[in-house]
């Protein structure tokens, strides 16, 4: 019987894991920019009305945002380190994503402000979150992470 830690992941595993780390690091950066209301963040919103809406995001949404990006980043690092703790952390991140997206898509007035093209990014974030969760489950089952 072979030990599950001796299973070698494919090249695609490393590519996906590296992309996951980069993607989630960008999310952490975006969260920190928004949470600390940096000048660079404010410059992204030349329209004062939109900036005001973004700066007044409720605390519970910012909390969900923090959970989504920090747990996603840690899970991605654990994926690269081939640790199975990545899977439950991706699940927690996914829950944070869902909570944040419920606000962004259904409660805030973002759709009215940005138009229908706004929905592309939330869908992409949700799809990637779901993918990373199930991918980590799959590679654990294959014995690539333990």
């Amino acid at each position: 019987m072979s030990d599950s830690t001796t299973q070698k992941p494919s090249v695609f595993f490393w590519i996906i894991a590296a992309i996951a780390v980069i993607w989630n690091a960008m999310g952490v950066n975006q969260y920190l920019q928004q949470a600390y209301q940096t000048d660079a963040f404010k410059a992204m919103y030349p329209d004062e009305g939109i900036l005001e809406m973004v700066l007044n995001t409720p605390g519970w949404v910012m909390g969900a945002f923090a959970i989504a990006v920090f747990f996603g980043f840690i899970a991605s690092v654990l994926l690269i380190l081939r640790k199975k703790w990545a899977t439950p952390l991706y699940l927690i991140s996914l829950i944070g994503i869902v909570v944040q997206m419920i606000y962004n898509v259904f409660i805030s007035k973002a759709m009215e402000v940005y138009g229908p093209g706004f929905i592309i990014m939330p869908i992409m974030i949700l799809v990637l979150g779901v993918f990373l969760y199930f991918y980590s489950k799959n590679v654990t089952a294959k014995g690539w992470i333990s």
Side-chain angles (χ1 to χ4, degrees):
M1 180 162 27
S2 68
D3 184 65
S4 65
T5 59
T6 61
Q7 299 293 323
K8 291 190 79 169
S10 72
V11 170
F12 290 111
F13 169 85
W14 297 110
I15 293 170
I16 290 169
I19 289 170
V21 168
I22 293 166
W23 171 260
N24 283 289
M26 290 185 333
V28 167
N29 178 56
Q30 185 64 28
Y31 169 79
L32 293 173
Q33 296 255 354
Q34 185 171 347
Y36 289 103
Q37 299 179 5
T38 64
D39 290 336
F41 177 76
K42 290 177 184 177
M44 291 173 29
Y45 299 95
D47 182 298
E48 285 294 320
I50 295 174
L51 177 61
E52 192 64 31
M53 181 183 77
V54 173
L55 293 178
N56 290 320
T57 301
W60 63 271
V61 177
M62 290 301 292
F65 186 10
I67 288 168
V69 297
F70 284 104
F71 278 83
F73 178 73
I74 294 167
S76 297
V77 169
L78 290 174
L79 189 64
I80 284 225
L81 296 174
R82 298 176 60 195
K83 302 296 179 188
K84 68 181 174 183
W85 271 96
T87 302
L89 295 184
Y90 274 132
L91 179 59
I92 294 169
S93 174
L94 183 56
I95 292 167
I97 291 169
V98 169
V99 170
Q100 181 190 14
M101 293 308 150
I102 287 171
Y103 174 79
N104 288 343
V105 174
F106 299 109
I107 299 172
S108 77
K109 299 193 186 298
M111 191 77 81
E112 295 170 19
V113 173
Y114 294 112
F118 159 78
I119 199 70
I120 294 169
M121 192 61 155
I123 289 172
M124 191 169 76
I125 292 167
L126 184 60
V127 166
L128 193 54
V130 168
F131 170 77
L132 288 172
Y133 170 67
F134 283 105
Y135 183 73
S136 68
K137 283 182 72 160
N138 183 280
V139 297
T140 299
K142 288 181 178 181
W144 293 356
I145 64 176
S146 59

